[in-house]
Amino acid sequence: MNDDQARVLGGRFTFPGTALTVNRLGYGAMQLAGPGVYGPPRDVEGALSVLREALAAGVDHIDTSDFYGPHVTNQLIFRALQPYPKGLVIVTKLGARRPADKSWQPAISAQELTQGVHDNLRNLGLEALDIVNYRVMGGALGPAEGSIAEQVGVLAKLQKQGLIRHIGLSNVTAAQVAEAQTITPIVCVQNNYNLAHREDDALIEALARQQIAYVPFFPLGGFSPLQSSTLSSVAQRLSASPLQVALAWLLHRAPNILLIPGTSSIAHLRENLAAAQLALSPQILAELTSIGGTGRREKH
Ligand SMILES: NC(=O)c1ccc[n+]([C@@H]2O[C@H](COP(=O)([O-])OP(=O)(O)OC[C@H]3O[C@@H](n4cnc5c(N)ncnc54)[C@H](OP(=O)(O)O)[C@@H]3O)[C@@H](O)[C@H]2O)c1
């Protein structure tokens, strides 16, 4: 990764209290598993190429989980990218399991979390995991209040054993972040957020004050990518694609936002990475911000 690549990928961000610095525009690997995030992809070589292309373009932050597949995404990362280049930060998550019926079930006992760490280490071929997010399950529409102290305590123990370097959270409320911080430092939060889905506006500001990374999942809208007439109109004026504009808006939204858009396509990967080069004027930003101004989706 050279200086030019850092510049074109949104600049650099250091996770607080760590030696881990990444480009703000990274890559989310969930889309590399098979349909429904289950089983192997239809095109294994294509999936490996997407990962290699991401690194060649300067991506040094990959989001994954051993419950994507399960195991599939991590095994693809291992196969495509070993030996890992210096500076690559792989962020994984724990808290779920995927039974044969392809559902997503909580896996939150001490035994399951510990097993999850060992599964990630084995499948990624690592001796320690850079960052592990505790992904809170439940709450169909988003995070639901409730103590997470027990699970964060388990991860903190695994951290003391040297198996996890740093801890983050996913699908959490501000109160859960504060509770976790009484147990161990939190370096990132990964919640559902994009132009149209803006429930976390206040949380982003609070985390920015602590220089904690906010990493939106579904930055493009997830399984049904964002659609909005305002977004399309802005994109047309900027000669960009609507999804590029959606990513550029997130980069402008707050300095602690890191992006991990997901794709199984090299063409989409290139398009997404080019989004960091879009400059948005204050007027355009205001227009885009109004899409989620009421906190609601226009057409999603
Ligand atoms: N913590 C959590 O609970 C959680 C939940 C979900 C996801 N995540 C993480 O967040 C990452 C991002 O989320 P996501 O991948 O689910 O959703 P996303 O990034 O919002 O959108 C991915 C979808 O957009 C499509 N897409 C991507 N780039 C495109 C482009 N340039 N043009 C048109 N379509 C495009 C992808 O299809 P193609 O493959 O065809 O490009 C895919 O269907 C995941 O990869 C995963 O690592 C975390």
Side-chain angles (χ1 to χ4, degrees), residues 28 30-31 63 135 170 190 218 220-222 260 262-264 268 272:
M30 186 177 86
Q31 305 292 339
D63 184 78
R135 205 290 182 190
S170 177
Q190 188 175 119
F218 294 161
L220 300 172
I260 50 163
T263 182
S264 54
H268 287 169
N272 296 343

